[in-house]
Amino acid sequence: MALDILKRLAAYFFPLRLLAIAAYGAFLVLLEIVTFQSRPKDVFSPRKLSERVFGKLWLRIGNPCHTVLGPRPPSVQHDEIATVELETDVPDLVAKAYGTVLEIGPGSGNQLPRYDISKIDRVYGVEPNVDLHDALRRSVKKHGLSDVYTIVPCGVEDLEKLREFDISSGSVDTVLSVQVLCSVPAPGEMVKELYRLLRPRGQMIVYEHVKSEDYLSHLVQLVYNLVWPYALGNCHLNRPTEKYLLEAGSWSTIELETPKEEDAWTVLPRVSGRLVKWGGGSASRS
């Protein structure tokens, strides 16, 4: 029992580490603004400030392939998120992507080395945070994907911009979302739009944190969520993402599960797996 209590407390305090890094990122962004180093007008836009703070955070914990410039706060491991992902089913899920891939929120390019290039025709990385684009471009080049990877500088809700890149209804074989649906606007409608973009028999691959089914952990999520979206790029800890996925449309295959290695009381429980859209069309290469 004592061990369970200790594990629960450790899980409840873990998000504080990310909030601390975000606070450090906010300090760096404000320093850049007041010294006129970068886009001082962003101080008048809460959304742009939030994106810049999240960009600072992600470049420190998201991808081991990039060098972190500038000082680093104590006890921050740069590749923390990327390392943790290696212990999950994320690498195996990404390797199932095929054909024309729409990756939403690629960040600085964590998933690029995990693609099975033999199955990929084209990848569109829909990334609205311009502060991550330089790191993403470097990662694309590093992994030899320059000929197939296109950065789309908008949110996936910007349908007009997507059409400029020939992304429209029924044009995508694979939608890949790794820890992104927590932060998109109007997530229920967004997932329905992603379903619409899929070709018949196209697949949606997801790895997302969701609302906890543990009562006490859900209360902790609610407390953190008072500040979490502002500090971490509009991320919400308690979205019922599995419900949004199941209600997006008709699926011929539903392979969703909560990873067994995660404790029931974690503040960041996961839903992961693959869903295949109903309909005719060519066979999957996954």
Side-chain angles (χ1 to χ4, degrees):
M1 178 62 71
L3 182 59
D4 287 348
I5 292 175
L6 290 176
K7 285 184 176 180
R8 187 177 284 266
L9 288 174
Y12 291 170
F13 280 105
F14 171 75
L16 289 175
R17 298 177 61 197
L18 297 182
L19 288 177
I21 302 170
Y24 181 76
F27 168 76
L28 293 179
V29 169
L30 291 176
L31 184 64
E32 290 174 354
I33 289 175
V34 299
T35 57
F36 296 94
Q37 296 179 45
S38 175
R39 309 199 309 266
K41 291 183 179 179
D42 285 356
V43 73
F44 301 108
S45 171
R47 180 184 62 82
K48 290 181 179 179
L49 282 176
S50 179
E51 287 182 352
R52 287 180 64 174
V53 170
F54 180 74
K56 296 289 187 185
L57 180 147
W58 188 253
L59 290 176
R60 279 162 173 75
I61 66 173
N63 196 324
C65 299
H66 304 116
T67 302
V68 179
L69 302 178
R72 183 181 302 174
S75 303
V76 172
Q77 183 179 347
H78 173 45
D79 62 350
E80 185 169 353
I81 298 298
T83 300
V84 169
E85 284 183 352
L86 291 174
E87 300 172 359
T88 70
D89 46 2
V90 169
D92 289 339
L93 287 171
V94 176
K96 293 179 180 179
Y98 72 91
T100 298
V101 179
L102 184 72
E103 181 180 0
I104 62 172
S108 52
N110 286 40
Q111 311 313 329
L112 299 184
R114 299 165 182 169
Y115 283 115
D116 182 345
I117 302 303
S118 67
K119 298 189 294 189
I120 300 298
D121 298 326
R122 170 65 57 182
V123 182
Y124 293 98
V126 180
E127 178 53 70
N129 193 329
V130 297
D131 292 290
L132 296 174
H133 285 187
D134 285 345
L136 180 56
R137 290 188 189 97
R138 290 194 297 269
S139 190
V140 168
K141 183 177 180 180
K142 174 183 177 67
H143 295 289
L145 295 171
S146 299
D147 292 339
V148 299
Y149 201 100
T150 300
I151 298 175
V152 181
C154 69
V156 74
E157 71 277 6
D158 191 342
L159 302 182
E160 184 175 344
K161 187 69 174 179
L162 293 182
R163 281 192 289 268
E164 294 179 12
F165 291 84
D166 296 324
I167 303 169
S168 58
S169 178
S171 66
V172 175
D173 295 298
T174 301
V175 170
L176 176 65
S177 177
V178 178
Q179 304 190 113
V180 177
L181 295 177
C182 57
S183 59
V184 299
E189 294 303 313
M190 181 70 65
V191 175
K192 290 179 181 178
E193 180 57 33
L194 293 172
Y195 178 90
R196 189 184 68 83
L197 294 176
L198 283 172
R199 291 190 175 103
R201 298 183 69 184
Q203 61 176 347
M204 186 176 295
I205 295 173
V206 297
Y207 181 84
E208 300 286 347
H209 63 77
V210 294
K211 174 183 175 182
S212 176
E213 297 300 323
D214 178 84
Y215 179 74
L216 185 55
S217 295
H218 179 53
L219 291 179
V220 174
Q221 285 182 324
L222 291 175
V223 173
Y224 273 120
N225 222 50
L226 295 173
V227 296
W228 196 264
Y230 305 101
L232 282 93
N234 198 45
C235 173
H236 291 71
L237 291 171
N238 58 346
R239 284 183 169 175
T241 301
E242 183 176 5
K243 176 177 179 290
Y244 297 147
L245 291 167
L246 296 177
E247 294 178 353
S250 298
W251 304 104
S252 62
T253 301
I254 299 174
E255 300 170 346
L256 292 179
E257 63 178 17
T258 300
K260 296 180 178 59
E261 68 269 18
E262 294 188 351
D263 296 314
W265 52 71
T266 177
V267 182
L268 296 167
R270 310 288 176 170
V271 61
S272 65
R274 190 175 73 105
L275 306 97
V276 179
K277 185 175 181 178
W278 273 105
S282 58
S284 165
R285 284 180 274 169
S286 61

